[in-house]
Every structure is written in C-alpha cells, then in structure tokens.
Amino acid sequence: MRLNCNGFMLPDYLLSFTIWLLIALTWMPVYIHVLKQLEDSADSRLVNELFYNHLIELKLEEVERGNTTIEKEGTSYSIVWEKDSIVCLQYKDVFQKNKKICEVWKE
C-alpha cells in the first residue's frame, strides 16, 4: 500500500469521504422537507389567525361584507363569499399549492 505525505492511506481516506458524502446526500432532502413542513405549519397558523380576525371584524361590523384581499407580510389572501352564507379564504402555501379554508357565516 502506498502512503501519502501525511501518513494516511489514500483509499481509506476516499472511502471515508464517500461514506460521509452519501450520508449527507441521503439526509439533506429529508432535512429540507422537514424545514418546509415547519414553515408550512407556521404559515397555516398565520392564515387561520388572519381569517378568524377578519370574521371577528365582520361580526363587529368593522369591515364590510364582500370579496376582498388581505395583505400580510408580502402575501395576498383572498376573502371570497360563496353562496350567501359561506365565506372562504384562498391562498397559496409554501409548496405553491392552492389552499382554501371556509366557514359558514351566521348573522
């Protein structure tokens, strides 16, 4: 076997590096997916808070009933009335999928 100038055997060093590289490449997508899920969860909490705050303001007659858009942190959230008594909030999540949450409106 041939030694390099530091006394390490070159094939062992390459094998070790390859194993660490495979571990990193295997776990990196999992780590990124978990981070996206955490971000989606925080985003979902914000959306629910915005929607129910809007409904409270509507109940207290601080805002008018009708289709509108709420801007928060650079993102637009659409309030849409479906039929007479169903109000929905539409938005895109962190995965760029269209999402919608709805509630039945009772006066």
Side-chain angles (χ1 to χ4, degrees):
M1 285 186 231
R2 188 172 167 203
L3 299 175
N4 68 5
C5 61
N6 292 329
F8 290 105
M9 290 185 284
L10 195 56
D12 290 341
Y13 176 73
L14 287 175
L15 180 63
S16 176
F17 177 74
T18 304
I19 290 171
W20 279 109
L21 188 63
L22 286 173
I23 290 171
L25 291 175
T26 301
W27 285 102
M28 190 59 69
V30 173
Y31 178 73
I32 291 171
H33 183 71
V34 168
L35 286 180
K36 283 283 194 186
Q37 289 291 339
L38 289 172
E39 185 180 342
D40 186 50
S41 177
D43 214 29
S44 183
R45 189 172 51 248
L46 173 70
V47 167
N48 282 312
E49 184 179 318
L50 283 173
F51 185 51
Y52 289 105
N53 283 341
H54 181 77
L55 292 178
I56 289 169
E57 290 172 356
L58 190 61
K59 194 70 164 176
L60 296 173
E61 298 179 356
E62 294 176 4
V63 294
E64 291 185 26
R65 182 176 171 170
N67 295 345
T68 188
T69 302
I70 300 172
E71 295 280 332
K72 183 74 171 189
E73 298 177 6
T75 306
S76 297
Y77 303 94
S78 300
I79 303 286
V80 179
W81 286 83
E82 297 179 354
K83 301 182 184 176
D84 261 349
S85 61
I86 299 175
V87 60
C88 298
L89 184 136
Q90 299 173 341
Y91 68 102
K92 286 189 184 248
D93 66 3
V94 296
F95 301 106
Q96 297 303 311
K97 292 183 181 177
N98 291 325
K99 294 276 187 144
K100 177 166 70 168
I101 54 174
C102 297
E103 281 292 327
V104 175
W105 178 255
K106 294 182 183 177
E107 304 250 0

